[in-house]
Amino acid sequence: MSVDLRLPDLGEGIESADVLSVLVSVGQAVDAGDSVIEIESEKATLEVPTDAAGTVTGIHVKSGDTIAVGQPVLTLEPDGAESPAAPAASEAQVDEAPGPTADGAPDGAEAAPQRATLEPTTASAGPEVHVAPPFADADADADGRPVAAAPSVRTFAREIGVDVRQVEGSGPGGRISMDDVKAHARRRPSAPASDVAPPLPDFAQWGPIERVRLSRLRRTLADNLSRSWTTIPHVTLFQEADVTDVEALRAEYKERAKARGAKLTITAFILPAVAASLKAHPELNASLDLAAGEIVRKGYYHLGVAADTERGLLVPVVRDVGTKGVIEIAAELTDIAERARAGKLTLDEMQGATFTISNLGGLGTGFFTPIVNPPEVGILGVGRAVPRSTLHDDAMQTRLMLPLSLSFDHRALDGADGARFLSSIVDALQRPTMLAMEP
């Protein structure tokens, strides 16, 4: 009895994905857990395995296709079945059910194909990186009731920047159609001319050009970052931290960390300093709920760490930072960095951050202005530490100075709140031994 494998629910309101590659062929035997396709969603790139074992008898997608959740991906003949591998079926053949016979059984078959599920397990580009969808709760209204709109309508609304919850449906029972979304968009106030991108000139008239299609992840990042920049009033504060003592500790313990498979970097010291400061300043470990008129303060400290990979920016999350030692954090950072480059991070590992750290020091950057990643209200930018002559203990000394840039949502906190928070991080980094004694 053949088994149809379908694209599973990817979570986070994701309704479709682009097929990057098909990893199996017709006639190939697969085991449960083997990856069969690679897809790219708004959040990440995923290798999707099957939970059934058997022989591939049909492949219903190809590279470049956009497929929806629940759509057939391939057909398996389970282990133990005698049917030979069949040629790839067309999408029309997969979606068309056989007609019933007089006795109610499908014509030409003993039983309809069963369904199996695919489980997404890895991610390599995304998101979401720790990037929130444009309207994370767009499937429900203020009372938690599902919005009466087809997935395609909700997707279209998000793409043109319309909150589908605000659209009045004209269909039966208030169901929202594509035309309703368009009509709602037309009724919105027109954007200022300065906000409308002018048409591009024909660059080819001046020389050779190349057009590279934006990946789904890059398009999502562009939309979300534009929305963050235009809707969140950003304030960025700058301060330097003397990390001379941190560097001395790092040099002293790097071999001990290496023995545990960890690369001890300054980031491993920054994370507990940030967690301690978040605990002292809960207004930064929060989210702003404008609809409810509330600030949501979180009692846990999960820090997103932006990572640069070949496929784009990823923001894996280190959880419960305040309960872990520096070497333990270093081991976790080493692990997630390696798996990020190899495309082995799970979606769950890139969700749930309360605050984000973006370290561009390895690329030689100093101060910069990071963009807040909603629904968080703050992000810390870390530059390259450089030796510089400065006054220390009433004498001019050469000290290692680390540039820090804090961007925050001015709607959620005042400038003085941000200044106190940034100063507390600086103080913690300048007393690393005390920080280790006070987890």
Side-chain angles (χ1 to χ4, degrees):
M1 180 183 300
S2 61
V3 177
D4 285 340
L5 303 179
R6 299 171 182 267
L7 185 66
D9 183 359
L10 302 174
E12 292 289 300
I14 299 172
E15 297 159 355
S16 64
D18 295 337
V19 178
L20 295 181
S21 59
V22 178
L23 307 178
V24 295
S25 57
V26 172
Q28 180 177 337
V30 296
D31 294 324
D34 286 352
S35 296
V36 293
I37 61 170
E38 184 180 32
I39 61 173
E40 184 180 53
S41 72
E42 290 89 345
K43 294 291 183 179
T45 297
L46 315 172
E47 282 188 5
V48 185
T50 173
D51 65 354
T55 301
V56 178
T57 59
I59 298 174
H60 316 306
V61 298
K62 63 182 183 300
S63 178
D65 285 354
T66 297
I67 56 176
V69 170
Q71 181 174 330
V73 173
L74 54 84
T75 300
L76 284 182
E77 193 69 28
D79 286 344
E82 297 181 358
S83 300
S90 68
E91 183 173 328
Q93 290 172 324
V94 173
D95 292 338
E96 181 180 349
T101 60
D103 60 2
D107 186 16
E110 295 181 359
Q114 295 180 339
R115 291 188 181 182
T117 59
L118 298 163
E119 295 295 337
T121 58
T122 62
S124 65
E128 181 108 342
V129 108
H130 180 56
V131 180
F135 300 105
D137 55 347
D139 292 343
D141 61 18
D143 298 322
R145 295 186 297 267
V147 170
S152 58
V153 174
R154 295 195 296 270
T155 299
F156 173 70
R158 287 196 293 270
E159 288 176 348
I160 66 172
V162 169
D163 185 347
V164 75
R165 297 168 298 177
Q166 307 300 322
V167 178
E168 183 177 352
S170 61
R175 188 167 183 82
I176 300 169
S177 68
M178 202 81 75
D179 289 338
D180 294 329
V181 174
K182 294 177 182 177
H184 180 86
R186 286 193 292 268
R187 289 193 296 269
R188 292 184 303 177
S190 299
S194 59
D195 292 342
V196 179
L200 295 176
D202 179 11
F203 298 110
Q205 63 182 308
W206 298 299
I209 64 170
E210 178 187 8
R211 286 186 171 269
V212 180
R213 181 175 176 79
L214 291 175
S215 67
R216 179 185 287 257
L217 172 64
R218 177 52 57 187
R219 294 197 301 269
T220 302
L221 284 170
D223 291 342
N224 290 348
L225 290 173
S226 295
R227 188 173 294 105
S228 174
W229 185 250
T230 56
T231 62
I232 294 177
H234 282 63
V235 173
T236 305
L237 304 178
F238 307 99
Q239 199 167 342
E240 285 184 319
D242 184 342
V243 293
T244 307
D245 294 341
V246 168
E247 175 58 22
L249 281 175
R250 190 197 69 80
E252 180 181 353
Y253 288 97
K254 66 178 182 180
E255 291 303 321
R256 183 179 299 182
K258 186 177 180 180
R260 294 183 54 179
K263 182 179 180 182
L264 188 57
T265 66
I266 198 169
T267 305
F269 292 88
I270 293 172
L271 263 66
V274 169
S277 299
L278 288 172
K279 187 173 183 180
H281 302 276
E283 60 272 16
L284 269 296
N285 200 56
S287 292
L288 181 63
D289 188 346
L290 287 176
E294 297 174 343
I295 294 285
V296 182
R297 292 185 175 178
K298 297 141 191 178
Y300 49 91
Y301 306 96
H302 302 339
L303 302 184
V305 182
D308 181 36
T309 72
E310 291 183 357
R311 287 180 172 172
L313 182 68
L314 289 175
V315 188
V317 179
V318 180
R319 303 188 187 279
D320 301 313
V321 172
T323 65
K324 299 174 180 177
V326 171
I327 292 182
E328 183 181 1
I329 291 172
E332 191 166 343
L333 286 172
T334 302
D335 174 61
I336 62 176
E338 291 175 351
R339 290 190 293 112
R341 288 190 292 268
K344 300 300 181 182
L345 289 176
T346 66
L347 284 173
D348 184 64
E349 289 176 305
M350 293 189 288
Q351 298 172 0
T354 61
F355 188 88
T356 294
I357 297 168
S358 178
N359 190 339
L360 297 179
L363 299 175
T365 298
F367 293 108
F368 61 102
T369 54
I371 297 178
V372 174
N373 185 25
E376 300 161 27
V377 297
I379 181 172
L380 181 70
V382 181
R384 182 180 183 180
V386 294
R388 188 163 53 79
S389 294
T390 187
L391 186 64
H392 182 78
D393 290 339
D394 298 326
M396 293 300 295
Q397 299 181 19
T398 299
R399 309 289 291 182
L400 191 63
M401 306 302 294
L402 180 72
L404 300 174
S405 310
L406 172 70
S407 292
F408 59 88
D409 186 341
H410 209 343
R411 299 172 302 175
L413 61 148
D414 296 328
D417 298 319
R420 283 188 285 266
F421 173 73
L422 185 55
S423 293
S424 69
I425 295 175
V426 170
D427 182 60
L429 289 173
Q430 294 180 165
R431 299 187 301 154
T433 304
M434 184 63 68
L435 177 65
M437 294 173 62
E438 298 176 352

